[in-house]
Amino acid sequence: SGFTNGKLCPTSVTFGTVLSMYAAADRLRKENLSMNQSRSWLTRNVEASTQRIVSDVEYLGWGAENAERVLEWIIGLSERERRSRGIDSADESRCGTSDHDMFIRPCVQHFVTTCHAWANSGKGIDAAERCESLKNRNISLYKSTGYAE
């Protein structure tokens, strides 16, 4: 992965936290937009309001797209780490050893968080298809690596 063992070495938890924040971004954006629209005392210019809605539509799925980008980063780091240490699927049974504990590896929670981000993205059918694709990727990784979380 290019990270050396040390006090500041990022872990799966570090990446998972970033992924979670991106996953929450679309939901928080929608909540903020609806809160601003419900304030009757807030004076609005109709034209500016229309532009704001168009701008928000452009950002639909921004958090989910970035959550998926971070998930792909985690997967890539994991694969590079496995190759650099010469670990194949048969060696994954040793995951409990301290040497393997430092791996940055994807886990089910990373996939679930990313799917949750897509579910909250407002992208409808496209989001459902992305979730299906992520589920298939999770199954494929499980079959190819064989390691448990």
Side-chain angles (χ1 to χ4, degrees):
S1 67
F3 297 114
T4 59
N5 292 345
K7 293 180 181 179
L8 292 177
C9 181
T11 65
S12 291
V13 174
T14 310
F15 285 94
T17 302
V18 172
L19 194 146
S20 295
M21 290 308 299
Y22 277 126
D26 290 323
R27 179 183 52 81
L28 294 172
R29 185 174 189 81
K30 281 190 251 180
E31 287 174 6
N32 188 35
L33 180 62
S34 66
M35 183 176 67
N36 287 339
Q37 288 177 345
S38 68
R39 295 181 183 163
S40 59
W41 53 266
L42 189 61
T43 58
R44 292 185 179 267
N45 178 333
V46 173
E47 183 177 296
S49 178
T50 304
Q51 288 174 352
R52 171 75 180 177
I53 291 169
V54 169
S55 174
D56 284 331
V57 168
E58 291 173 7
Y59 282 105
L60 276 178
W62 178 87
E65 289 171 4
N66 280 289
E68 190 166 345
R69 180 183 56 81
V70 171
L71 177 61
E72 290 298 327
W73 189 12
I74 293 168
I75 293 167
L77 287 171
S78 174
E79 290 172 354
R80 283 192 296 279
E81 187 74 20
R82 289 166 48 86
R83 282 194 303 270
S84 72
R85 294 188 186 200
I87 297 171
D88 62 14
S89 296
D91 293 332
E92 281 300 330
S93 60
R94 298 185 344 225
C95 280
T97 64
S98 61
D99 187 39
H100 286 70
D101 290 342
M102 292 303 295
F103 273 21
I104 295 172
R105 298 186 288 186
C107 68
V108 171
Q109 188 60 40
H110 294 145
F111 282 91
V112 169
T113 301
T114 306
C115 285
H116 187 69
W118 278 112
N120 289 323
S121 70
K123 293 282 228 173
I125 293 172
D126 290 338
E129 290 171 347
R130 296 300 310 161
C131 288
E132 180 76 15
S133 174
L134 287 167
K135 177 201 61 131
N136 292 338
R137 181 81 190 271
N138 187 352
I139 291 169
S140 172
L141 281 171
Y142 175 77
K143 287 179 178 178
S144 69
T145 61
Y147 65 70
E149 294 179 44

